[in-house]
Amino acid sequence: MRQDKRALFQRMQQIQSWNGKLDEDEKRDLSLFAWLSLDWAKREPNRQAVLNIVSVCNLALVLANKEYPKGYMGEAKTAFAVVLANLKLLISRGKEKGTWSLNGDLIRNLPVVLSLHDRQLTEVSRKVMEACVNYVRENV
């Protein structure tokens, strides 16, 4: 009986953790992934760095549409439009010519989107984050 209580308690902790917010290490790691991918794409233009950025931007857009961060009123709407349009062009150019360099519009607007994403990471629960990641993976 004691083992069953312990197992139940551990399971409940996992469930609460899943419904809770990301911990500091997770937020830091996800933020670093985004910012380092941008730095990598600027220093050494390549397909993988661009695809990392595309994933982060799509995730940030989905979270923004779910109103993360709280009170988000579309401040990054223009930056999203510029970034997503230019990433689409970059991917086409990359597939066609093998050139993966970021243009000036991307370099200027990506920090706006990544900063918004950092704010999103402070509020989003694991449950919502997992659902959004799955949605992006399946639909984008």
Side-chain angles (χ1 to χ4, degrees):
M1 182 70 165
R2 187 160 207 266
Q3 183 70 317
D4 291 335
K5 285 182 182 178
R6 182 175 293 143
L8 179 60
F9 181 72
Q10 288 174 339
R11 180 71 180 132
M12 290 304 294
Q13 284 181 316
Q14 289 173 340
I15 291 169
Q16 288 173 341
S17 173
W18 186 64
N19 284 323
K21 295 198 185 318
L22 301 171
D23 65 31
E24 293 304 314
D25 289 340
E26 291 167 317
K27 288 185 273 191
R28 183 198 63 234
D29 292 349
L30 291 168
S31 178
L32 280 173
F33 174 77
W35 289 100
L36 290 174
S37 294
L38 173 58
D39 183 61
W40 183 25
K42 289 182 349 188
R43 285 183 302 104
E44 186 183 316
N46 66 80
R47 181 180 183 271
Q48 188 57 53
V50 169
L51 293 179
N52 290 353
I53 292 168
V54 168
S55 295
V56 171
C57 290
N58 284 324
L59 182 57
L61 181 61
V62 170
L63 287 169
N65 286 330
K66 290 188 164 292
E67 298 180 4
Y68 284 96
K70 191 177 251 177
Y72 177 68
M73 301 296 288
E75 305 89 55
K77 188 176 183 178
T78 302
F80 270 121
V82 169
V83 165
L84 294 174
N86 280 280
L87 284 173
K88 186 175 181 178
L89 293 172
L90 175 56
I91 291 169
S92 294
R93 186 181 71 225
K95 287 179 179 177
E96 187 177 309
K97 297 180 182 179
T99 304
W100 297 96
S101 298
L102 303 178
N103 63 26
D105 282 339
L106 282 169
I107 291 170
R108 278 187 301 279
N109 287 283
L110 274 167
V112 174
V113 172
L114 298 185
S115 293
L116 174 69
H117 187 58
D118 283 345
R119 288 177 39 211
Q120 292 168 330
L121 293 173
T122 64
E123 293 182 14
V124 71
S125 70
R126 283 188 181 87
K127 182 178 180 180
V128 170
M129 181 64 111
E130 182 178 323
C132 291
V133 166
N134 289 336
Y135 177 82
V136 167
R137 192 177 296 145
E138 293 169 7
N139 294 295
V140 179

